[in-house]
Amino acid sequence: AQKVTQAQTEISVVEKEDVTLDCVYETRDTTYYLFWYKQPPSGELVFLIRRNSFDEQNEISGRYSWNFQKSTSSFNFTITASQVVDSAVYFCALSRRGSQGNLIFGKGTKLSVKP
Amino acid sequence: DAGVIQSPRHEVTEMGQEVTLRCKPISGHNSLFWYRQTMMRGLELLIYFNNNVPIDDSGMPEDRFSAKMPNASFSTLKIQPSEPRDSAVYFCASRPTGGTDEQYFGPGTRLTVT
């Protein structure tokens, strides 16, 4: 069975702190994709990143970075120097390659960044 | 390019009424997904289409829910009759042809059934 676990329900930090959102997944597939989505208070779901199961290189995009470790089945997301605009619910998701795009979402982590 | 378009953005209706939610996917995307989001259950996939054909509707909660995709640029999700427990945000998402599975979501329709 496929499953995505985001154990942190809510996180609160003060602006400029670094914060890491955890994501642990379960799958028996050898080929899969992992994703992160952001849902700001306005409600829309915004695609942030996709990672192929064959590519374990970490990725950095501005203040965002992602750490993918197959050995621990984790795909963690770090925001460096957090800002109030980062306040949102963040979802981790998993899909099986060739599954025609069926995504399995975690329950989400609500991040609050206070000024 | 325009993103996924959903209408209406908000819908308030009385129990027993028919509700129709609409979605226009991103041009060129060949897969379309309907999700429901509630506090209790999170994001749930209701149904998805590939090339206008329903592939998996196992997430549709009951026969009161139906979805159609008459062409590549339009889909509807209908609830008849609606019940208070259907209150949720309904998202439509589309996926590019030959893509790598990322889905692009519309702004959602917030449905309230009183």
Side-chain angles (χ1 to χ4, degrees), chain B residues 64-75:
Chain B
R64 298 184 296 106
F65 286 68
S66 62
K68 294 182 179 179
M69 192 166 186
N71 57 62
S73 59
F74 183 66
S75 177

Side-chain angles (χ1 to χ4, degrees), chain A residues 33 35 37 39 42-47 50 91 95-103 105-107, chain B residues 9 31 33 35 37 40-43 45 48 50 55-56 91 95 100-107:
Chain A
Y33 285 111
F35 304 83
Y37 282 83
Q39 187 173 38
S42 50
E44 72 274 22
L45 277 153
V46 179
F47 166 69
R50 176 197 71 248
F91 292 92
S95 79
R96 177 192 307 164
R97 260 184 108 169
S99 69
Q100 303 193 63
N102 193 352
L103 298 183
F105 282 89
K107 295 293 186 186
Chain B
R9 295 293 307 277
S31 297
F33 304 79
Y35 290 87
Q37 186 179 35
M40 291 295 294
R41 301 173 69 90
L43 268 167
L45 178 65
Y48 72 95
N50 197 41
I55 302 300
D56 183 356
F91 288 101
R95 185 183 74 105
T100 44
D101 289 356
E102 63 266 28
Q103 296 175 18
Y104 296 89
F105 284 75

Side-chain angles (χ1 to χ4, degrees), chain B residues 14-19 62-65 79-84 86 113:
Chain B
E14 293 184 348
M15 182 174 63
Q17 297 297 307
E18 176 179 298
V19 175
E62 41 195 284
D63 291 346
R64 298 184 296 106
F65 286 68
I79 308 172
Q80 165 63 19
S82 58
E83 296 182 4
D86 301 330
V113 183

Side-chain angles (χ1 to χ4, degrees), chain A residues 16-29:
Chain A
K16 297 184 183 178
E17 286 185 17
D18 298 346
V19 58
T20 296
L21 310 182
D22 297 333
C23 173
V24 174
Y25 63 92
E26 296 176 29
T27 182
R28 292 182 179 178
D29 299 324

